[in-house]
Amino acid sequence: MSFSPSLSPFFEPHDENPYLADFYGDMPRWAFNSQLFFLVHRYKIHRDLEALGRPVVQDRTLYEDAEIFAQYLHQRGFIDARDWSTYTDLYQTLRRDLRPPDLMIYLRCEVKTLQKRIRMRGRAYEQKIPVAYLRALHDLYEQWFARYDASPTLV
């Protein structure tokens, strides 16, 4: 993938979440911990990218983390009502402090294609992700993007 010299790509540092492998092994136990780590970590990344003062292309945002991944875990009961309230309060507080993206680009991908890419990527802890989980996330992405209005969008 090539980028304009005026744009800097920024890819998700997935290996930095110390809960991720545990989460894929036991979602109910590690859902809140993992999502809280992602929320705070993505907030810091967003602030750092804002401070660069130049255009960047970011592959995962604070918005989708909270409104898709954490939402799914709450809907499944893996994040209980008390923890969900704490999480959403923190998310709304952090979100108010951030400048929205200039453009939100949604790369639509069917679940079968996603499964193939996960296999090719070869991360051991991702190889047994249930297809039902991927389908549920896909549906939540579609719903979220349909209502997203913080900035212009492109599919």
Side-chain angles (χ1 to χ4, degrees), residues 31-46:
F32 181 72
N33 304 74
S34 184
Q35 287 307 129
L36 190 60
F37 176 88
F38 274 131
L39 182 65
V40 172
H41 194 68
R42 289 197 207 292
Y43 173 80
K44 289 177 185 176
I45 289 169
H46 196 120

Side-chain angles (χ1 to χ4, degrees), residues 1-149:
M1 181 178 282
S2 66
F3 289 90
S4 162
S6 62
L7 290 177
S8 301
F10 186 82
F11 301 102
E12 177 185 16
H14 66 277
D15 289 335
E16 293 180 16
N17 186 332
Y19 300 101
L20 203 53
D22 293 324
F23 167 75
Y24 282 122
D26 186 356
M27 285 186 184
R29 164 61 184 94
W30 295 103
F32 181 72
N33 304 74
S34 184
Q35 287 307 129
L36 190 60
F37 176 88
F38 274 131
L39 182 65
V40 172
H41 194 68
R42 289 197 207 292
Y43 173 80
K44 289 177 185 176
I45 289 169
H46 196 120
R47 295 298 300 202
D48 289 347
L49 293 175
E50 285 180 345
L52 289 176
R54 66 177 191 267
V56 298
V57 176
Q58 186 178 0
D59 76 334
R60 183 67 55 84
T61 68
L62 176 103
Y63 308 101
E64 65 198 275
D65 223 33
E67 297 185 39
I68 296 163
F69 292 91
Q71 178 69 39
Y72 167 81
L73 295 168
H74 173 62
Q75 288 174 353
R76 290 292 312 264
F78 298 162
I79 298 177
D80 68 27
R82 181 180 59 177
D83 288 345
W84 181 244
S85 178
T86 299
Y87 180 91
T88 55
D89 283 348
L90 178 58
Y91 169 62
Q92 293 301 328
T93 300
L94 296 178
R95 183 179 174 171
R96 282 191 298 272
D97 192 42
L98 297 176
R99 188 180 127 225
D102 294 323
L103 176 67
M104 180 66 74
I105 301 171
Y106 178 37
L107 301 176
R108 191 167 272 136
C109 180
E110 294 303 318
V111 173
K112 285 187 184 260
T113 303
L114 181 57
Q115 288 178 290
K116 180 181 174 185
R117 290 177 182 168
I118 288 170
R119 280 192 303 274
M120 289 174 51
R121 186 162 52 196
R123 294 179 191 151
Y125 59 84
E126 291 180 338
Q127 298 309 306
K128 293 186 181 183
I129 295 175
V131 69
Y133 174 66
L134 297 176
R135 283 189 187 117
L137 292 178
H138 178 270
D139 292 345
L140 286 168
Y141 260 107
E142 291 289 323
Q143 294 165 23
W144 170 74
F145 196 74
R147 70 178 183 272
Y148 176 83
D149 64 359

